[in-house]
């Protein structure tokens, strides 16, 4: 019997599997940032940061699986509404048209108290962000920002793409990756959720090439 994406995800326990992996990668980034802090003799600024969280005003590139666990969270918390989908669509289109260096807009998942409302399932690119320079610089950009380079952690996130694709039986697309800007990844997951033809639906979307990805963010490759 055919299953919808939502049924498939629930029966195959994909959300806990993905969320555990993402949490593990994010935890490793935190640990890596602290270890590097000792080497470079600079404290990590993020733990005690009281500045405006402009790190959450950046263009976030996420893998499809990362969008899927955020979509699951929205569904579980009653936030999958027509208004939310419209906001995701509008935001995705704007992000896709923007230069990542110029994008400075608070993330849709940042609340009025500047807390991430999907924190424990936030994408690995968010979980990897730690800086050693004063928090104010994240907003003013008056000097170079020294950030932790989470190469191993992001490589682990890329490895998970293939395991996820195989568990979903999503056919490989030559020269393309199943990733995109975060609001797009959440939106396509929500739109595929109740479809039995979710594999065909997902596969025919205009997935980015390596060149597109390099334009957005070299750290996701
Ligand atoms: S990246 Fe910058 S703004 Fe974000 S928590 Fe760290 S110090 Fe604060
Ligand atoms: S998903 Fe969360 S951590 Fe990532 S940019 Fe949005 S609010 Fe910030």
């Amino acid at each position: 019997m055919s299953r919808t994406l939502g049924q498939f995800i629930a029966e195959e326990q994909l959300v806990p599997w993905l969320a555990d992996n993402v949490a593990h990668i994010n935890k490793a980034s935190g640990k890596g940032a602290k270890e590097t802090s000792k080497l470079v003799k600079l404290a990590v600024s993020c733990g005690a940061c009281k500045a405006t969280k402009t790190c959450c005003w950046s263009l976030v590139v996420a893998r499809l699986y990362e969008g899927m666990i955020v979509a699951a969270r929205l569904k579980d918390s009653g936030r999958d509404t027509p208004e939310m989908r419209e906001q995701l669509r509008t935001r995705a289109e704007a992000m896709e048209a923007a230069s990542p260096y110029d994008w400075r807009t608070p993330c849709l998942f940042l609340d009025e108290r500047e807390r991430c409302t999907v924190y424990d399932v936030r994408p690995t690119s968010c979980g990897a962000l730690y800086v050693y320079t004063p928090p104010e610089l994240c907003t003013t950009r008056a000097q170079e920002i020294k950030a932790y380079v989470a190469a191993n952690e992001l490589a682990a996130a890329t490895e998970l793409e293939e395991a996820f694709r195989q568990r979903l039986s999503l056919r490989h697309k030559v020269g393309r990756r199943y990733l995109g800007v975060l609001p797009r990844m959440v939106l396509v997951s929500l739109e595929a959720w109740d479809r039995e033809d979710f594999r065909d639906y997902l596969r025919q979307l205009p997935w980015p090439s390596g060149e597109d990805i390099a334009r957005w963010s070299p750290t996701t490759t």
Side-chain angles (χ1 to χ4, degrees):
M1 197 182 77
S2 297
R3 294 182 281 184
T4 64
L5 174 62
Q7 289 166 337
F8 184 87
I9 284 176
E11 288 167 16
E12 302 297 327
Q13 294 282 299
L14 282 194
V15 168
W17 171 66
L18 288 169
D20 279 358
N21 274 286
V22 166
H24 179 76
I25 293 168
N26 286 345
K27 199 170 164 195
S29 292
K31 197 165 165 243
K34 278 192 193 141
E35 283 167 5
T36 301
S37 158
K38 289 180 204 149
L39 293 175
V40 297
K41 298 190 172 35
L42 290 170
V44 178
S45 304
C46 303
C49 172
K50 301 266 188 299
T52 305
K53 299 296 177 293
T54 43
C55 49
C56 291
W57 295 21
S58 304
L59 188 150
V60 173
V61 176
R63 296 161 174 85
L64 175 60
Y65 70 77
E66 294 174 321
M68 220 163 258
I69 53 175
V70 172
R73 176 58 51 85
L74 295 183
K75 289 194 99 52
D76 288 348
S77 56
R79 286 190 285 162
D80 174 23
T81 60
E83 294 74 27
M84 172 58 87
R85 290 198 190 196
E86 195 44 46
Q87 285 180 346
L88 287 166
R89 187 181 319 282
T90 306
R91 188 62 64 91
E93 286 169 2
M95 269 190 183
E96 285 159 355
S99 153
Y101 303 101
D102 297 337
W103 182 266
R104 299 274 275 173
T105 306
C107 176
L108 277 181
F109 303 117
L110 194 65
D111 72 10
E112 58 287 346
R113 292 183 306 147
E114 294 210 297
R115 291 185 186 270
C116 174
T117 57
V118 293
Y119 187 78
D120 57 324
V121 289
R122 70 199 187 287
T124 52
S125 53
C126 301
L129 186 59
Y130 291 92
V131 304
Y132 302 109
T133 35
E136 300 71 37
L137 273 190
C138 299
T139 300
T140 65
R141 295 177 170 180
Q143 289 170 36
E144 188 195 349
I145 296 168
K146 290 186 172 43
Y148 173 59
V149 180
N152 292 340
E153 296 86 343
L154 294 177
T158 298
E159 268 178 34
L160 190 54
E161 273 177 40
E162 183 58 15
F164 162 74
R165 191 188 64 72
Q166 287 183 9
R167 279 196 72 174
L168 209 62
S169 301
L170 195 57
R171 278 170 54 214
H172 179 60
K173 276 194 95 161
V174 178
R176 305 276 156 175
R177 296 260 305 275
Y178 287 105
L179 55 75
V181 296
L182 175 60
R184 179 70 69 194
M185 294 304 94
V186 177
L187 182 64
V188 300
S189 301
L190 291 172
E191 292 191 329
W193 207 266
D194 295 321
R195 299 180 72 129
E196 289 182 355
D197 67 343
F198 64 89
R199 294 183 182 87
D200 292 338
Y201 168 73
L202 288 171
R203 195 168 183 279
Q204 56 80 40
L205 293 171
W207 295 99
S209 64
E211 214 171 82
D212 299 328
I213 295 162
R215 184 180 74 81
W216 278 328
S217 167
T219 58
T220 53
T221 54

